Amino acid sequence: MTHQASAILAIDQGTTSTKAFVLTDDGTFISCGGLAHRQILPGDGLVEHDAEELIGNIETLIDRALAAHPQISAMALANQGETVIAWDRVTKRALYHAIVWQDQRSQGRLDALPASTKAQVSALSGLPVDAYFSASKIAWLLEHVPAVGKAARDGRLGIGTSESFFIDRLTGQYVTDPTTASRTSLMNIADGRFDDGLCQIFGVPRDLLPKIVPTAGFFGVIRRRDRELPLVVSIVDQQAALFGHGCRTVGDAKITFGTGSFALALSGAAPILDRPGLVPTIAWQLPGEAPVYALDGGDYTAAAAVDWAISIGLAGSYEDFAFDDATPAITRGIAFVPALAGLAAPYWRRDVAASFVGLRQATAPADLRKAVLEGIAYRGAELIEALGGEGDGPVSIDGGLARNSYFVQFLADAMARPVCLQESAELTALGLAEMAYLASSLPVPERLGEPSRLIVPGPRSPAIRERRAYFQTAINLAAELASSQNAPAS
């Protein structure tokens, strides 16, 4: 009997672009290209995407991949996590821009909640009360966009995290998965269901929300180019990356340095609720199995700080962040706290602002660029340690900053642990495709390509520990300044 070739199409719909890859059954991993989308910034702290542009890019990449790889037998989709969209379920058209996970428009409303209500939200959802998560964005759309309210009254509203819109548009199914639902503040983290009490707190009618189904399984059929393509995986991008890193055992961890820093560690069959400042989340739910939980320690700003530095003229491009001189800026007392959108785990302080410390007349732009990378690395080390990573084993990383050799070596030194660089920089798409093979009951291909590399930290010295303490002092100063600004006038 001749072998029937198969391949999985993986679509990674991220914060700045949508990318497509194909994983074939012989282990070949092929890029099908990517499409950037606009970052819409209506005001300070407001971040939106054109939802129609996002789904249009997804459809274009599906068509492109099917034309080039007719052996594709199924598709998997990764989403941004906490980004939300409202749409008309009859016309399948978006009713407003997507409100992105970075958006802070609803933080004031959340800050005004009574302390007892905030405690109830955290106890049920496992999440801090923060505009990062989806519930307050959904509530804002229901309250402030007339077309959304009308669609709700007419019984034709779809509303939820972005992938539920994509899936409805592509397959006609109104569903979400546990990984994404666990990022909304509307799901009970213990039982994996949308919770009536949480929905009432945020003012989101439970019957408006999509059905929660396992991460891998069957999400309906996509019909494109005279083809019928089953959608078999839908998952948050960071959880897909965790799978792509090969994390399968409790304690396995990774950190992705994308727009933000996203550290995840597998925690087992039940959520961990006793780590202050860290977030229990669902890693995935495979066919016929119970959910697997993870512990999340994320921060709002990583590569976003590099983009900001370029936008204000501190650098001309990413190439300006490549350094031959390995002398850290912090050895000269220069540090950067990467809190352009506040500090997330384990602080959850939206009020803290980014800052440079230690600037003198001799400080050069290259020093500031180095300090930006170093600040991101120090925050990454802090996240890994907060997750319980006090050991000396390798930490697996990915994301755009993983290609910066100065950053990677500095991160290894800051953690005093080796950094594991995977053979592919696209761990989200690779994890998606591998999970889709499992969902399709096909053997997962062995990976081809170069083996992962270890970046070993330099000798541990009192100076390295002192620099880390200095950076922590910079964070403490930024937090104290924010507190003093927020203090009522006497």
Side-chain angles (χ1 to χ4, degrees):
M1 180 180 295
T2 58
H3 170 67
Q4 182 67 40
S6 64
I8 298 294
L9 171 61
I11 301 281
D12 176 10
Q13 201 298 293
T15 305
T16 58
S17 67
T18 304
K19 296 179 284 187
F21 297 84
V22 169
L23 179 63
T24 65
D25 57 7
D26 67 358
T28 304
F29 190 52
I30 309 162
S31 171
C32 297
L35 296 169
H37 53 265
R38 291 178 298 147
Q39 303 298 310
I40 302 169
L41 309 172
D44 186 31
L46 308 182
V47 187
E48 299 177 356
H49 293 157
D50 183 336
E52 292 296 328
E53 183 182 13
L54 298 182
I55 186 62
N57 287 350
I58 290 172
E59 291 173 334
T60 296
L61 290 171
I62 293 172
D63 291 344
R64 184 182 298 175
L66 289 175
H69 304 281
Q71 76 274 32
I72 291 172
S73 56
M75 183 180 128
L77 177 66
N79 70 79
Q80 298 178 29
E82 302 79 11
T83 296
V84 302
I85 297 175
W87 71 100
D88 187 315
R89 290 216 58 222
V90 177
T91 66
K92 310 298 185 189
R93 304 289 297 182
L95 297 171
Y96 193 78
H97 284 157
I99 301 181
V100 182
W101 58 271
Q102 301 155 303
D103 190 277
Q104 302 174 47
R105 74 187 67 196
S106 55
Q107 189 62 47
R109 167 183 174 156
L110 298 179
D111 291 341
L113 290 174
S116 59
T117 301
K118 293 179 182 179
Q120 183 182 0
V121 170
S122 295
L124 291 172
S125 71
L127 306 178
V129 179
D130 193 278
Y132 177 34
F133 304 105
S134 306
S136 60
K137 300 182 182 71
I138 295 172
W140 188 92
L141 286 168
L142 287 166
E143 293 174 7
H144 291 89
V145 181
V148 174
K150 183 177 187 305
R153 293 190 297 272
D154 293 345
R156 52 196 289 163
L157 178 66
I159 195 165
T161 42
S162 61
E163 94 298 347
S164 56
F165 168 63
F166 304 146
I167 294 171
D168 191 23
R169 181 79 153 254
L170 293 170
T171 74
Q173 301 298 309
Y174 190 44
V175 294
T176 186
D177 91 293
T179 72
T180 320
S182 71
R183 312 299 297 177
T184 62
S185 296
L186 298 174
M187 192 197 84
N188 187 309
I189 192 64
D191 66 18
R193 300 175 183 174
F194 288 127
D195 183 88
D196 287 330
L198 290 170
C199 288
Q200 184 174 3
I201 288 170
F202 287 100
V204 177
R206 182 179 176 181
D207 59 4
L208 290 179
L209 298 172
K211 179 182 178 182
I212 301 175
V213 299
T215 306
F218 180 68
F219 290 83
V221 174
I222 301 167
R223 293 174 173 85
R224 306 287 302 179
R225 296 182 61 88
D226 299 323
R227 292 280 308 278
E228 292 190 350
L229 191 66
L231 179 62
V232 297
V233 171
S234 179
I235 187 172
V236 175
D237 50 8
Q238 298 310 316
Q239 279 85 327
L242 186 68
F243 200 86
H245 276 275
C247 297
R248 304 288 188 275
T249 304
V250 172
D252 286 353
K254 69 88 188 175
I255 183 164
T256 298
F257 292 98
T259 303
S261 300
F262 304 98
L264 283 174
L266 285 178
S267 59
I272 293 178
L273 302 173
D274 59 354
R275 297 279 182 86
L278 298 179
V279 176
T281 192
I282 293 180
W284 49 71
Q285 184 179 10
L286 299 179
E289 298 182 10
V292 175
Y293 287 84
L295 202 58
D296 171 28
D299 198 20
Y300 309 118
T301 304
V306 177
D307 293 336
W308 166 80
I310 294 170
S311 73
I312 65 169
L314 186 57
S317 69
Y318 271 76
E319 284 69 30
D320 289 335
F321 288 86
F323 299 106
D324 296 326
D325 175 13
T327 305
I330 202 165
T331 63
R332 295 186 289 279
I334 303 165
F336 175 70
V337 177
L340 291 166
L343 289 173
Y347 305 97
W348 298 105
R349 292 282 303 271
R350 283 282 190 179
D351 58 331
V352 177
S355 59
F356 284 102
V357 299
L359 306 190
R360 294 184 180 274
Q361 286 179 318
T363 301
D367 296 320
L368 301 182
R369 294 196 293 270
K370 276 188 177 179
V372 168
L373 294 180
E374 292 166 15
I376 298 165
Y378 276 133
R379 283 290 287 134
E382 185 176 28
L383 294 175
I384 288 294
E385 290 172 7
L387 287 172
E390 296 91 354
D392 57 5
V395 175
S396 189
I397 74 168
D398 68 307
L401 288 176
R403 295 190 287 269
N404 185 295
S405 59
Y406 180 85
F407 172 81
V408 173
Q409 184 62 61
F410 191 92
L411 176 66
D413 294 342
M415 295 190 300
R417 296 173 64 171
V419 170
C420 181
L421 291 175
Q422 301 289 337
E423 69 272 15
S424 172
E426 302 292 347
L427 272 298
T428 295
L430 188 57
L432 267 177
E434 291 179 333
M435 189 176 288
Y437 269 99
L438 288 176
S440 303
S441 300
L442 295 169
V444 178
E446 292 188 12
R447 301 184 186 184
L448 301 180
E450 296 298 320
S452 58
R453 294 188 296 122
L454 283 183
I455 307 300
V456 180
R460 194 68 170 160
S461 71
I464 290 178
R465 289 189 290 272
E466 290 168 5
R467 294 170 201 164
R468 181 72 182 276
Y470 182 81
F471 178 77
Q472 186 61 53
T473 299
I475 283 188
N476 295 342
L477 287 172
E480 289 172 14
L481 180 60
S483 296
S484 68
Q485 290 176 321
N486 295 332
S490 57

